[in-house]
Amino acid sequence: MYLLIMGLPGAGKGTQAAKIVDAYGVSHISTGDMFRAAMKNQTQMGKLAKSYIDKGELVPDEVTNGIVKERLAESDIKENGFLLDGYPRTIDQAKALDQILTDLDLSLDGVINIDVNPDSLIERLSGRIIHKETGETFHKIFNPPAGDYNQDDYYQREDDKPETVKRRLDVNIAQGQPILDYYREKDLVTDIEGNQEIDQVFEDVKKAIDNIK
Ligand code: AP5
Ligand code: MG
């Protein structure tokens, strides 16, 4: 299965992606995670990405298309399928993805769009915490780690600062709609109500994927 998961920053793409990977065994490809790994390793691409991510801006298309093209050519993709998270984010990226998939003789099966009220997203992003060791994502209030947890074992993302979040939301609201329209025309999109409990969202995601399969 070759799927996209779309939604505004904080919509729950990563949270649902982890569950989809567990249930369906697809390879999870998050361009945001790839950039953060490159930033951590201080590669040249990581340094370039950081200069955009820290401002809440999109990394240039040619850089992003390049890393996706390379990743999709790896051998696990044809074995497991993929779930692309956070890509494409511009129409140019959507067109580049079409070409990459054509070259690999693959085609998209569906687009899961997690629809959320933008007003709830600042609260979600400001309370997000990530486990340092496993990378698992939680929320201080909506999805806290089990038991008495040690705050020092968790970190917050640099780009979850309120000023950056506002810019990320503006950029993604402007860029996201044309991409959804692009895939709606191809009849690939299933909309999921994202303003529900995480497990309920996942129930709806599973129904959507089982329909796509
Ligand atoms: P990226 O890492 O993709 O960030 P994003 O799109 O802004 O999305 P997030 O990861 O912040 O949110 P999410 O939807 O995954 O939510 P999550 O599940 O964590 O990209 C970061 C940056 O990299 C971009 O700004 C850009 O600069 C660059 N970049 C990446 N891709 C690019 C591309 N294609 N082109 C150019 N640049 C690119 O959930 C959020 C919080 O809410 C968590 O705390 C979670 O526990 C909680 N939560 C989740 N679901 C629920 C629920 N149902 N109810 C209550 N709380 C919930
Ligand atoms: Mg994410």
Side-chain angles (χ1 to χ4, degrees), residues 26-47:
V26 288
S27 294
H28 178 210
I29 304 174
S30 155
T31 40
D33 287 350
M34 289 162 89
F35 288 135
R36 280 184 291 277
M39 280 156 59
K40 197 171 166 198
N41 293 329
Q42 300 194 341
T43 65
Q44 207 177 350
M45 193 268 280
K47 287 179 193 162

Side-chain angles (χ1 to χ4, degrees), residues 14 85 128 157:
D85 159 359
R128 169 163 58 188
R157 261 170 55 176

Side-chain angles (χ1 to χ4, degrees), residues 137-178:
T137 295
F138 296 89
H139 190 281
K140 286 180 189 167
I141 298 161
F142 304 138
N143 184 27
D148 271 342
Y149 66 94
N150 182 352
Q151 293 211 12
D152 294 344
D153 294 338
Y154 296 80
Y155 70 93
Q156 291 196 268
R157 261 170 55 176
E158 274 289 318
D159 62 344
D160 280 347
K161 288 185 288 220
E163 324 77 87
T164 319
V165 164
K166 193 173 174 315
R167 182 67 192 146
R168 280 165 63 201
L169 286 172
D170 288 347
V171 167
N172 281 276
I173 288 169
Q175 300 275 359
Q177 201 54 49

Side-chain angles (χ1 to χ4, degrees), residues 9-66:
K13 301 182 293 297
T15 301
Q16 295 300 323
K19 292 177 178 291
I20 295 169
V21 168
D22 271 355
Y24 298 92
V26 288
S27 294
H28 178 210
I29 304 174
S30 155
T31 40
D33 287 350
M34 289 162 89
F35 288 135
R36 280 184 291 277
M39 280 156 59
K40 197 171 166 198
N41 293 329
Q42 300 194 341
T43 65
Q44 207 177 350
M45 193 268 280
K47 287 179 193 162
L48 177 90
K50 185 171 166 43
S51 67
Y52 292 91
I53 291 176
D54 283 356
K55 289 186 287 197
E57 304 291 341
L58 296 180
V59 177
D61 286 342
E62 58 274 21
V63 177
T64 311
N65 292 333

